[in-house]
Amino acid sequence: MTGDGEESVGDAGFDEFLDALADGEGYYVECANGHGSLPPRRVCPECGSADLRETPLPESGEVATYTKVHVPAPSFADDAPYVTAVVDFGPVRLTGHVLAAVEDVEIGREVEPAVGETETRGDQLVVFEPR
Ligand SMILES: [Zn+2]
């Protein structure tokens, strides 16, 4: 128990995904039935298919929802306030921090995914840069 509420810590698949994204080679996995998933898994969460292919992540996506976080988890204490967003890439959605003030974020805003570090602990995380 770390008690910090971070789901992604220790998730090797997610770390690999972040490394690829940092190299400009972001991807998601798609099953034979066309279900996209992120972070990458061994089995499709929708239909249970283990026939998964890595597919390049689109270069940009659109903000689907966003939230300004004033009271963060301890692992993000020094990063607050910040904006988290769920970004729609078509078959998949990705959650991360938006590198912009909340006034500059809106639903449908086009953003590009990248990898950043939290100020609090230097943890890698997904970030979005407005285009
Ligand atoms: Zn599937």
Side-chain angles (χ1 to χ4, degrees):
M1 276 293 286
T2 58
D4 68 4
E6 258 304 285
E7 299 170 17
S8 62
V9 170
D11 185 330
F14 193 66
D15 287 345
E16 274 177 36
F17 167 75
L18 285 176
D19 287 346
L21 186 59
D23 290 340
E25 295 171 357
Y27 62 90
Y28 64 96
V29 296
E30 188 178 64
C31 78
N33 295 317
H35 304 131
S37 60
L38 261 182
R41 297 163 210 268
R42 294 187 185 287
V43 178
C44 175
E46 296 247 6
C47 68
S49 169
D51 182 13
L52 303 177
R53 286 171 301 153
E54 287 188 7
T55 307
L57 188 70
E59 281 183 16
S60 67
E62 289 186 354
V63 173
T65 66
Y66 65 93
T67 308
K68 186 173 185 180
V69 177
H70 295 279
V71 183
S75 56
F76 291 112
D78 295 342
D79 294 85
Y82 56 87
V83 183
T84 63
V86 177
V87 173
D88 196 338
F89 288 91
V92 288
R93 289 181 161 195
L94 199 51
T95 303
H97 286 199
V98 183
L99 302 181
V102 69
E103 304 81 51
D104 297 328
V105 182
E106 59 185 4
I107 305 289
R109 182 77 195 258
E110 193 174 9
V111 295
E112 294 181 15
V115 177
E117 288 186 353
T118 65
E119 291 183 23
T120 312
R121 298 200 312 204
D123 294 333
Q124 281 197 315
L125 81 167
V126 175
V127 296
F128 299 113
E129 299 174 9
R131 276 199 146 171

